[in-house]
Amino acid sequence: MVDKTQILGQPLPPAGFLVERRSGRREKIHNLGHVTKIGRDPRGDIILDHESVSGQHAVVKFENGRFFLYDLASTNRTLLNNKAIQKQMLMDGDTIQVGVIMLVFKETRS
């Protein structure tokens, strides 16, 4: 039997996800990759089907060990902790508003 290769002493990269909160619905969890597209477009990674959300509204990118949120010139802007942003580093617990939909950023680090 062959043992699996293990890298010793290397921390795992952080894992990030968004918790979607809409009134009258159960919370939905969206895992984040290196590039996660958010919008109404069905070809995106996180599809938010609401008229207040642009087709390509925002993107979350994993860069230099951190997650960053970018607004993609959306019609109704992207808010981070109630402030309009173009690019901003995310911190655990940050609240993101895409149109009328609220998302909470969560991050785990090893």
Side-chain angles (χ1 to χ4, degrees), residues 17-104:
F17 56 96
L18 297 177
V19 180
E20 180 181 339
R21 295 188 173 152
R22 292 200 213 188
S23 64
R25 295 188 184 185
R26 295 182 80 153
E27 290 184 345
K28 188 173 184 181
I29 296 175
H30 304 278
N31 291 318
L32 298 173
H34 282 282
V35 176
T36 304
K37 299 173 189 171
I38 303 168
R40 209 171 55 218
D41 188 334
R43 295 171 292 179
D45 301 304
I46 298 176
I47 302 163
L48 303 175
D49 189 21
H50 192 276
E51 62 272 2
S52 66
V53 178
S54 297
Q56 297 178 11
H57 199 105
V59 66
V60 176
K61 295 182 180 181
F62 186 70
E63 302 172 336
N64 300 317
R66 301 299 311 214
F67 289 95
F68 287 85
L69 174 66
Y70 292 82
D71 179 68
L72 298 177
S74 61
T75 302
N76 291 321
R77 304 179 299 168
T78 301
L79 303 180
L80 179 65
N81 300 322
N82 296 316
K83 294 180 183 176
I85 60 99
Q86 290 182 345
K87 175 188 177 185
Q88 185 66 45
M89 185 174 68
L90 292 170
M91 303 295 287
D92 186 56
D94 279 346
T95 302
I96 300 164
Q97 185 173 341
V98 177
V100 299
I101 299 172
M102 300 299 290
L103 304 163
V104 177

Coordinates of all heavy atoms in Angstrom, one line a residue, residues 17-104:
F17 N -15.8 31.9 1.9 CA -17.2 31.7 1.4 C -18.1 32.8 1.7 O -17.8 33.7 2.5 CB -17.8 30.3 1.9 CG -17.8 30.2 3.4 CD1 -19.0 30.5 4.1 CD2 -16.7 29.7 4.1 CE1 -19.1 30.4 5.4 CE2 -16.8 29.6 5.5 CZ -18.0 29.9 6.2
L18 N -19.2 32.9 0.9 CA -20.2 34.0 1.1 C -21.4 33.3 1.6 O -21.9 32.3 1.0 CB -20.4 34.8 -0.1 CG -19.2 35.5 -0.7 CD1 -19.6 36.2 -2.0 CD2 -18.7 36.6 0.3
V19 N -22.1 33.9 2.6 CA -23.3 33.4 3.1 C -24.4 34.4 2.6 O -24.4 35.6 2.9 CB -23.4 33.4 4.7 CG1 -24.8 32.9 5.1 CG2 -22.3 32.5 5.2
E20 N -25.3 33.9 1.7 CA -26.3 34.7 1.1 C -27.5 34.7 2.1 O -28.0 33.7 2.5 CB -26.8 34.0 -0.2 CG -27.8 34.8 -0.9 CD -28.2 34.1 -2.2 OE1 -27.4 33.3 -2.8 OE2 -29.3 34.3 -2.7
R21 N -28.0 36.0 2.4 CA -29.1 36.1 3.3 C -30.2 36.9 2.6 O -29.9 38.1 2.2 CB -28.7 36.9 4.5 CG -27.7 36.0 5.3 CD -27.4 36.7 6.7 NE -26.6 35.7 7.5 CZ -25.8 36.1 8.4 NH1 -25.6 37.4 8.7 NH2 -25.1 35.2 9.1
R22 N -31.3 36.3 2.4 CA -32.5 37.0 1.8 C -33.7 36.7 2.7 O -33.8 35.6 3.2 CB -32.8 36.4 0.4 CG -31.8 36.7 -0.7 CD -32.5 36.5 -2.0 NE -31.5 36.0 -3.0 CZ -31.8 35.9 -4.3 NH1 -33.0 36.3 -4.7 NH2 -31.0 35.5 -5.1
S23 N -34.5 37.8 2.9 CA -35.6 37.6 3.8 C -36.6 36.5 3.2 O -36.8 36.4 2.0 CB -36.4 38.9 4.0 OG -36.9 39.4 2.7
G24 N -37.1 35.7 4.1 CA -38.0 34.7 3.7 C -37.4 33.4 3.1 O -38.1 32.5 2.7
R25 N -36.1 33.4 3.0 CA -35.4 32.2 2.4 C -34.3 31.7 3.4 O -33.8 32.5 4.2 CB -34.7 32.6 1.1 CG -35.6 33.0 0.0 CD -34.9 33.2 -1.2 NE -35.8 33.6 -2.3 CZ -35.4 33.8 -3.5 NH1 -34.2 33.5 -3.9 NH2 -36.3 34.2 -4.4
R26 N -33.9 30.5 3.2 CA -32.8 29.9 4.0 C -31.5 30.5 3.6 O -31.4 30.8 2.4 CB -32.8 28.4 3.8 CG -34.0 27.7 4.4 CD -33.9 26.2 4.2 NE -33.0 25.8 5.3 CZ -33.0 24.5 5.8 NH1 -33.8 23.6 5.3 NH2 -32.3 24.2 6.8
E27 N -30.6 30.5 4.5 CA -29.2 31.0 4.1 C -28.6 30.0 3.1 O -28.9 28.8 3.2 CB -28.3 31.1 5.3 CG -28.6 32.2 6.3 CD -27.7 32.3 7.4 OE1 -26.9 31.3 7.6 OE2 -27.7 33.3 8.1
K28 N -27.9 30.6 2.2 CA -27.2 29.7 1.1 C -25.7 30.0 1.2 O -25.3 31.2 1.3 CB -27.8 30.1 -0.2 CG -27.3 29.2 -1.3 CD -28.1 29.5 -2.6 CE -27.7 28.6 -3.7 NZ -28.4 28.9 -5.0
I29 N -24.9 29.0 1.2 CA -23.4 29.2 1.3 C -22.8 29.0 -0.1 O -23.1 28.0 -0.8 CB -22.8 28.2 2.3 CG1 -23.4 28.6 3.7 CG2 -21.3 28.3 2.3 CD1 -23.0 27.6 4.8
H30 N -21.9 30.0 -0.5 CA -21.2 29.9 -1.8 C -19.7 29.9 -1.5 O -19.2 30.8 -0.9 CB -21.5 31.2 -2.6 CG -23.0 31.4 -2.9 ND1 -23.7 30.8 -3.9 CD2 -23.9 32.2 -2.3 CE1 -24.9 31.2 -3.9 NE2 -25.1 32.1 -2.9
N31 N -19.1 28.8 -1.9 CA -17.6 28.7 -1.7 C -16.9 29.6 -2.7 O -17.4 29.7 -3.8 CB -17.2 27.2 -1.9 CG -17.6 26.3 -0.8 OD1 -17.6 26.7 0.4 ND2 -18.1 25.2 -1.1
L32 N -15.8 30.2 -2.3 CA -15.0 31.1 -3.2 C -13.8 30.3 -3.7 O -13.1 29.6 -3.0 CB -14.6 32.3 -2.4 CG -15.7 33.2 -1.8 CD1 -15.1 34.3 -1.0 CD2 -16.5 33.8 -3.0
G33 N -13.6 30.5 -5.0 CA -12.4 30.0 -5.7 C -11.4 31.1 -5.8 O -11.4 32.2 -5.2
H34 N -10.4 31.0 -6.7 CA -9.4 32.0 -7.0 C -10.1 33.2 -7.6 O -9.7 34.4 -7.4 CB -8.3 31.5 -7.8 CG -7.3 30.7 -7.0 ND1 -6.4 31.2 -6.2 CD2 -7.2 29.3 -6.9 CE1 -5.7 30.3 -5.6 NE2 -6.1 29.1 -6.0
V35 N -11.0 33.0 -8.5 CA -11.8 34.1 -9.1 C -13.3 33.6 -9.1 O -13.6 32.6 -9.6 CB -11.4 34.4 -10.6 CG1 -12.3 35.4 -11.2 CG2 -9.9 34.8 -10.6
T36 N -14.1 34.4 -8.4 CA -15.6 34.0 -8.3 C -16.4 35.2 -8.8 O -16.4 36.3 -8.2 CB -15.9 33.7 -6.8 OG1 -15.0 32.7 -6.3 CG2 -17.4 33.3 -6.7
K37 N -17.1 35.0 -9.9 CA -17.9 36.0 -10.5 C -19.3 36.0 -9.9 O -19.9 34.9 -9.7 CB -18.1 35.7 -12.0 CG -16.7 35.8 -12.7 CD -16.9 35.3 -14.2 CE -15.5 35.1 -14.8 NZ -15.6 34.5 -16.1
I38 N -19.8 37.2 -9.6 CA -21.1 37.3 -8.9 C -22.0 38.2 -9.8 O -21.6 39.3 -10.3 CB -21.0 38.0 -7.6 CG1 -20.0 37.3 -6.7 CG2 -22.3 38.2 -6.9 CD1 -19.6 38.0 -5.4
G39 N -23.2 37.7 -10.1 CA -24.2 38.5 -10.9 C -25.4 37.7 -11.3 O -25.6 36.6 -10.8
R40 N -26.2 38.3 -12.2 CA -27.4 37.7 -12.6 C -27.1 36.8 -13.8 O -27.9 35.9 -14.1 CB -28.4 38.8 -13.0 CG -29.8 38.4 -12.9 CD -30.8 39.5 -13.1 NE -30.6 40.2 -14.3 CZ -30.7 41.5 -14.5 NH1 -30.9 42.3 -13.5 NH2 -30.5 42.0 -15.7
D41 N -26.0 36.9 -14.5 CA -25.6 36.1 -15.6 C -25.5 34.7 -15.2 O -24.8 34.3 -14.3 CB -24.3 36.6 -16.2 CG -23.9 36.0 -17.5 OD1 -24.3 34.8 -17.8 OD2 -23.2 36.6 -18.3
P42 N -26.2 33.8 -15.9 CA -26.2 32.3 -15.6 C -24.8 31.7 -15.8 O -24.6 30.6 -15.4 CB -27.3 31.7 -16.5 CG -27.6 32.7 -17.5 CD -27.2 34.0 -17.0
R43 N -23.9 32.4 -16.5 CA -22.6 31.8 -16.7 C -21.6 32.2 -15.5 O -20.5 31.8 -15.5 CB -22.0 32.3 -18.0 CG -22.8 31.8 -19.2 CD -22.3 32.5 -20.5 NE -22.7 33.9 -20.4 CZ -22.5 34.8 -21.3 NH1 -21.9 34.5 -22.4 NH2 -23.0 36.1 -21.1
G44 N -22.1 32.9 -14.6 CA -21.3 33.3 -13.4 C -21.2 32.2 -12.4 O -21.7 31.1 -12.6
D45 N -20.4 32.4 -11.4 CA -20.2 31.4 -10.3 C -21.3 31.5 -9.2 O -21.7 30.5 -8.7 CB -18.8 31.6 -9.7 CG -17.7 31.5 -10.8 OD1 -17.7 30.4 -11.5 OD2 -17.0 32.4 -11.0
I46 N -21.6 32.7 -8.8 CA -22.7 32.9 -7.9 C -23.8 33.7 -8.6 O -23.6 34.9 -9.0 CB -22.2 33.7 -6.6 CG1 -21.1 32.9 -5.9 CG2 -23.4 34.0 -5.7 CD1 -20.5 33.6 -4.7
I47 N -24.9 33.0 -8.9 CA -26.0 33.6 -9.7 C -27.1 34.2 -8.7 O -27.6 33.4 -7.9 CB -26.6 32.6 -10.6 CG1 -25.5 32.1 -11.5 CG2 -27.7 33.2 -11.4 CD1 -25.8 30.8 -12.2
L48 N -27.3 35.5 -8.8 CA -28.3 36.1 -7.9 C -29.4 36.7 -8.8 O -29.2 37.7 -9.5 CB -27.6 37.3 -7.1 CG -26.4 36.9 -6.3 CD1 -25.8 38.1 -5.6 CD2 -26.8 35.9 -5.2
D49 N -30.5 35.9 -8.9 CA -31.5 36.2 -9.8 C -32.5 37.3 -9.2 O -33.5 37.0 -8.6 CB -32.3 34.9 -10.1 CG -33.3 35.1 -11.3 OD1 -33.2 36.1 -12.0 OD2 -34.3 34.3 -11.3
H50 N -32.1 38.6 -9.4 CA -32.9 39.7 -8.9 C -32.6 40.9 -9.8 O -31.5 41.1 -10.2 CB -32.6 40.0 -7.5 CG -33.6 41.0 -6.9 ND1 -33.5 42.3 -7.0 CD2 -34.7 40.7 -6.1 CE1 -34.5 42.9 -6.4 NE2 -35.3 42.0 -5.9
E51 N -33.7 41.6 -10.2 CA -33.5 42.7 -11.1 C -32.6 43.8 -10.6 O -32.1 44.6 -11.4 CB -34.9 43.3 -11.5 CG -35.6 43.9 -10.4 CD -36.5 42.9 -9.6 OE1 -36.6 41.7 -10.0 OE2 -37.2 43.4 -8.7
S52 N -32.3 43.9 -9.3 CA -31.4 44.9 -8.8 C -29.9 44.5 -9.0 O -29.0 45.3 -8.8 CB -31.6 45.2 -7.3 OG -31.3 44.0 -6.6
V53 N -29.7 43.3 -9.5 CA -28.3 42.8 -9.6 C -27.9 42.8 -11.1 O -28.7 42.4 -12.0 CB -28.2 41.3 -9.1 CG1 -26.8 40.7 -9.4 CG2 -28.6 41.2 -7.7
S54 N -26.8 43.4 -11.4 CA -26.3 43.5 -12.8 C -25.9 42.1 -13.3 O -25.6 41.2 -12.5 CB -25.1 44.4 -12.9 OG -25.5 45.7 -12.6
G55 N -25.8 41.9 -14.6 CA -25.4 40.6 -15.2 C -24.1 40.2 -14.7 O -23.9 39.1 -14.2
Q56 N -23.1 41.1 -14.7 CA -21.8 40.9 -14.2 C -21.6 42.0 -13.1 O -21.1 43.1 -13.5 CB -20.7 40.9 -15.3 CG -20.9 39.8 -16.3 CD -19.9 39.8 -17.4 OE1 -18.9 40.6 -17.3 NE2 -20.1 39.1 -18.4
H57 N -21.9 41.7 -11.9 CA -22.0 42.8 -10.9 C -20.7 43.0 -10.2 O -20.2 44.1 -10.0 CB -23.1 42.4 -9.9 CG -23.6 43.5 -9.1 ND1 -24.8 44.1 -9.3 CD2 -23.0 44.2 -8.0 CE1 -24.9 45.1 -8.4 NE2 -23.9 45.2 -7.6
A58 N -20.1 41.9 -9.7 CA -18.9 42.0 -8.9 C -18.1 40.7 -9.0 O -18.6 39.7 -9.6 CB -19.2 42.2 -7.4
V59 N -16.8 40.7 -8.5 CA -16.0 39.5 -8.6 C -15.2 39.5 -7.3 O -14.8 40.6 -6.8 CB -15.1 39.5 -9.8 CG1 -14.1 40.6 -9.8 CG2 -14.4 38.1 -9.9
V60 N -14.9 38.3 -6.7 CA -14.0 38.1 -5.6 C -12.8 37.4 -6.1 O -13.0 36.4 -6.8 CB -14.7 37.4 -4.4 CG1 -13.7 37.1 -3.3 CG2 -15.9 38.1 -3.9
K61 N -11.6 38.0 -5.9 CA -10.4 37.3 -6.3 C -9.5 37.0 -5.1 O -9.4 37.8 -4.2 CB -9.6 38.3 -7.3 CG -10.3 38.5 -8.6 CD -9.5 39.4 -9.5 CE -10.2 39.7 -10.8 NZ -9.4 40.5 -11.7
F62 N -8.8 35.9 -5.2 CA -7.8 35.5 -4.2 C -6.5 36.0 -4.7 O -6.0 35.4 -5.7 CB -7.9 34.0 -3.9 CG -7.0 33.6 -2.8 CD1 -7.3 33.9 -1.5 CD2 -5.9 32.9 -3.0 CE1 -6.5 33.5 -0.4 CE2 -5.0 32.5 -1.9 CZ -5.4 32.8 -0.6
E63 N -5.9 37.0 -4.0 CA -4.6 37.6 -4.5 C -3.7 37.7 -3.3 O -4.0 38.3 -2.2 CB -4.8 38.9 -5.1 CG -5.8 39.0 -6.2 CD -6.1 40.4 -6.7 OE1 -6.0 41.3 -5.9 OE2 -6.5 40.5 -7.9
N64 N -2.4 37.2 -3.4 CA -1.4 37.4 -2.4 C -1.9 36.9 -1.0 O -1.6 37.6 0.0 CB -0.9 38.8 -2.3 CG -0.3 39.3 -3.7 OD1 0.4 38.5 -4.3 ND2 -0.7 40.4 -4.1
G65 N -2.6 35.8 -1.0 CA -3.1 35.3 0.3 C -4.3 35.9 0.9 O -4.7 35.6 2.1
R66 N -4.9 36.8 0.2 CA -6.1 37.5 0.7 C -7.2 37.5 -0.3 O -7.0 37.4 -1.5 CB -5.8 39.0 1.1 CG -4.7 39.2 2.1 CD -5.0 38.6 3.4 NE -6.3 38.9 3.9 CZ -6.6 39.1 5.2 NH1 -5.7 39.0 6.1 NH2 -7.8 39.4 5.6
F67 N -8.5 37.7 0.1 CA -9.6 37.9 -0.8 C -9.9 39.3 -1.0 O -10.0 40.1 0.0 CB -10.8 37.1 -0.2 CG -10.7 35.6 -0.2 CD1 -10.3 35.0 0.9 CD2 -11.1 34.9 -1.4 CE1 -10.2 33.6 0.9 CE2 -11.0 33.5 -1.4 CZ -10.5 32.9 -0.3
F68 N -10.2 39.7 -2.3 CA -10.5 41.1 -2.6 C -11.8 41.1 -3.4 O -12.1 40.2 -4.2 CB -9.4 41.7 -3.5 CG -8.2 42.0 -2.8 CD1 -7.2 41.1 -2.6 CD2 -7.9 43.3 -2.2 CE1 -6.0 41.4 -1.9 CE2 -6.8 43.6 -1.6 CZ -5.8 42.6 -1.4
L69 N -12.6 42.1 -3.1 CA -13.9 42.3 -3.8 C -13.8 43.5 -4.8 O -13.3 44.5 -4.4 CB -15.0 42.6 -2.7 CG -16.4 43.0 -3.3 CD1 -17.0 41.8 -3.9 CD2 -17.2 43.5 -2.1
Y70 N -14.2 43.2 -6.0 CA -14.2 44.2 -7.0 C -15.6 44.5 -7.5 O -16.3 43.5 -7.8 CB -13.4 43.8 -8.3 CG -11.9 43.6 -8.0 CD1 -11.4 42.4 -7.4 CD2 -11.0 44.6 -8.4 CE1 -10.1 42.3 -7.2 CE2 -9.6 44.4 -8.3 CZ -9.2 43.3 -7.7 OH -7.8 43.1 -7.5
D71 N -16.0 45.7 -7.7 CA -17.2 46.1 -8.4 C -16.9 46.1 -9.9 O -15.9 46.6 -10.3 CB -17.7 47.5 -7.9 CG -19.0 47.8 -8.6 OD1 -20.1 47.2 -8.4 OD2 -19.0 48.8 -9.4
L72 N -17.8 45.6 -10.7 CA -17.6 45.6 -12.1 C -18.4 46.6 -12.8 O -19.1 46.4 -13.8 CB -17.9 44.2 -12.7 CG -17.1 43.1 -12.1 CD1 -17.5 41.7 -12.6 CD2 -15.6 43.3 -12.4
A73 N -18.4 47.9 -12.3 CA -19.1 49.0 -12.9 C -20.6 48.7 -12.9 O -21.3 48.9 -13.9 CB -18.6 49.4 -14.2
S74 N -21.1 48.1 -11.9 CA -22.5 47.6 -11.8 C -23.4 48.8 -11.7 O -23.1 49.9 -11.3 CB -22.7 46.7 -10.6 OG -22.4 47.4 -9.4
T75 N -24.7 48.7 -12.2 CA -25.7 49.7 -12.1 C -26.0 50.2 -10.7 O -26.0 51.4 -10.5 CB -27.0 49.2 -12.8 OG1 -26.6 48.8 -14.2 CG2 -28.0 50.3 -12.9
N76 N -26.2 49.3 -9.8 CA -26.5 49.6 -8.4 C -25.4 49.5 -7.4 O -25.6 49.5 -6.3 CB -27.7 48.7 -8.0 CG -29.0 49.0 -8.7 OD1 -29.3 50.2 -9.0 ND2 -29.7 48.0 -9.1
R77 N -24.2 49.5 -7.9 CA -23.0 49.5 -7.1 C -22.9 48.3 -6.2 O -23.8 47.6 -6.0 CB -22.9 50.8 -6.3 CG -22.9 52.0 -7.1 CD -22.8 53.3 -6.2 NE -23.9 53.3 -5.3 CZ -24.0 54.1 -4.3 NH1 -23.0 55.0 -4.0 NH2 -25.0 54.1 -3.4
T78 N -21.7 48.1 -5.7 CA -21.4 47.0 -4.7 C -21.0 47.7 -3.4 O -20.1 48.6 -3.4 CB -20.3 46.1 -5.2 OG1 -20.6 45.6 -6.5 CG2 -20.0 45.0 -4.2
L79 N -21.7 47.4 -2.4 CA -21.4 48.0 -1.1 C -20.7 47.0 -0.2 O -21.1 45.8 -0.1 CB -22.7 48.5 -0.4 CG -23.6 49.4 -1.2 CD1 -24.9 49.8 -0.3 CD2 -22.9 50.7 -1.5
L80 N -19.7 47.5 0.5 CA -19.0 46.7 1.5 C -19.2 47.4 2.8 O -18.7 48.6 3.0 CB -17.6 46.5 1.2 CG -16.7 45.7 2.1 CD1 -17.2 44.3 2.2 CD2 -15.2 45.8 1.8
N81 N -19.8 46.8 3.8 CA -20.1 47.4 5.1 C -20.8 48.8 4.9 O -20.4 49.8 5.5 CB -18.8 47.5 5.9 CG -18.3 46.1 6.2 OD1 -19.0 45.2 6.4 ND2 -16.9 46.0 6.2
N82 N -21.7 48.9 4.0 CA -22.6 50.0 3.7 C -21.8 51.2 2.9 O -22.3 52.3 2.9 CB -23.2 50.6 4.9 CG -24.2 49.6 5.5 OD1 -25.0 49.0 4.8 ND2 -24.1 49.4 6.8
K83 N -20.6 50.9 2.4 CA -19.9 51.9 1.6 C -19.6 51.4 0.2 O -19.2 50.2 0.0 CB -18.6 52.2 2.3 CG -18.7 52.9 3.6 CD -17.4 53.2 4.2 CE -17.6 53.8 5.6 NZ -16.3 54.0 6.3
A84 N -19.9 52.2 -0.8 CA -19.6 51.8 -2.2 C -18.1 51.6 -2.4 O -17.3 52.4 -1.9 CB -20.1 52.9 -3.1
I85 N -17.8 50.6 -3.1 CA -16.3 50.2 -3.3 C -16.1 50.0 -4.8 O -17.0 49.7 -5.6 CB -15.9 49.0 -2.5 CG1 -16.7 47.7 -2.9 CG2 -16.0 49.3 -1.0 CD1 -16.0 46.8 -3.8
Q86 N -14.8 50.1 -5.2 CA -14.4 49.6 -6.5 C -13.5 48.4 -6.3 O -13.6 47.4 -7.0 CB -13.6 50.7 -7.2 CG -14.5 51.9 -7.7 CD -13.7 52.9 -8.4 OE1 -12.5 52.9 -8.4 NE2 -14.5 53.8 -9.1
K87 N -12.6 48.5 -5.3 CA -11.8 47.3 -4.9 C -11.5 47.5 -3.5 O -11.1 48.5 -3.0 CB -10.4 47.3 -5.7 CG -9.5 46.2 -5.2 CD -8.1 46.3 -5.9 CE -7.2 45.3 -5.3 NZ -5.8 45.4 -5.8
Q88 N -11.7 46.3 -2.7 CA -11.4 46.4 -1.3 C -11.1 45.0 -0.8 O -11.7 44.0 -1.2 CB -12.7 46.9 -0.6 CG -12.5 47.1 0.9 CD -11.5 48.2 1.2 OE1 -11.6 49.3 0.7 NE2 -10.6 47.9 2.2
M89 N -10.1 44.9 0.1 CA -9.8 43.6 0.7 C -10.9 43.2 1.7 O -11.4 44.1 2.4 CB -8.4 43.8 1.5 CG -8.0 42.4 2.1 SD -6.3 42.6 2.9 CE -6.7 43.6 4.3
L90 N -11.2 42.0 1.7 CA -12.3 41.5 2.6 C -11.7 41.0 3.9 O -10.7 40.4 4.0 CB -13.0 40.3 1.9 CG -13.9 40.7 0.7 CD1 -14.4 39.5 -0.1 CD2 -15.0 41.6 1.1
M91 N -12.5 41.2 4.9 CA -12.2 40.7 6.3 C -13.3 39.8 6.8 O -14.5 40.1 6.4 CB -12.0 41.9 7.3 CG -10.9 42.9 6.8 SD -9.3 42.2 6.8 CE -8.9 42.1 8.5
D92 N -13.0 38.8 7.6 CA -14.0 37.9 8.1 C -15.2 38.7 8.7 O -14.9 39.6 9.5 CB -13.4 37.0 9.1 CG -14.4 35.9 9.6 OD1 -14.9 35.2 8.7 OD2 -14.6 35.8 10.8
G93 N -16.4 38.4 8.3 CA -17.6 39.1 8.9 C -18.1 40.3 8.1 O -19.1 40.9 8.4
D94 N -17.3 40.7 7.0 CA -17.7 41.8 6.2 C -19.1 41.6 5.6 O -19.4 40.4 5.2 CB -16.7 42.1 5.1 CG -15.5 42.9 5.6 OD1 -15.6 43.5 6.7 OD2 -14.5 43.0 4.8
T95 N -19.9 42.6 5.5 CA -21.2 42.5 4.8 C -21.1 43.1 3.4 O -20.7 44.3 3.3 CB -22.3 43.2 5.6 OG1 -22.3 42.6 6.9 CG2 -23.6 43.1 5.0
I96 N -21.5 42.4 2.4 CA -21.5 42.8 1.0 C -23.0 42.9 0.6 O -23.8 42.0 0.8 CB -20.8 41.8 0.1 CG1 -19.3 41.6 0.6 CG2 -20.8 42.2 -1.3 CD1 -18.6 40.4 0.1
Q97 N -23.3 44.1 -0.1 CA -24.6 44.2 -0.7 C -24.5 44.3 -2.2 O -23.8 45.2 -2.7 CB -25.3 45.5 -0.1 CG -26.7 45.6 -0.6 CD -27.5 46.7 0.0 OE1 -27.1 47.2 1.1 NE2 -28.5 47.2 -0.6
V98 N -25.1 43.4 -2.9 CA -25.2 43.3 -4.3 C -26.6 43.5 -4.7 O -27.4 42.7 -4.5 CB -24.6 41.9 -4.8 CG1 -24.7 41.8 -6.3 CG2 -23.2 41.7 -4.3
G99 N -26.9 44.7 -5.3 CA -28.3 45.1 -5.5 C -29.0 45.1 -4.1 O -28.5 45.8 -3.2
V100 N -30.1 44.4 -3.9 CA -30.7 44.3 -2.6 C -30.4 43.0 -1.8 O -30.9 42.8 -0.8 CB -32.3 44.3 -2.8 CG1 -32.7 45.6 -3.4 CG2 -32.8 43.1 -3.5
I101 N -29.4 42.2 -2.4 CA -29.1 41.0 -1.8 C -27.9 41.2 -0.8 O -26.9 41.8 -1.2 CB -28.8 39.9 -2.8 CG1 -30.1 39.7 -3.6 CG2 -28.3 38.6 -2.2 CD1 -30.0 38.8 -4.8
M102 N -28.0 40.6 0.4 CA -26.9 40.7 1.3 C -26.1 39.4 1.4 O -26.7 38.3 1.4 CB -27.5 41.0 2.7 CG -28.3 42.2 2.9 SD -27.3 43.7 2.5 CE -26.2 43.8 3.9
L103 N -24.8 39.6 1.4 CA -23.9 38.4 1.5 C -22.9 38.7 2.7 O -22.5 39.9 2.8 CB -23.0 38.3 0.2 CG -23.8 38.1 -1.1 CD1 -23.0 38.3 -2.3 CD2 -24.4 36.7 -1.1
V104 N -22.6 37.7 3.4 CA -21.6 37.9 4.5 C -20.4 37.1 4.2 O -20.5 35.9 3.8 CB -22.2 37.5 5.9 CG1 -21.1 37.6 7.0 CG2 -23.4 38.3 6.2

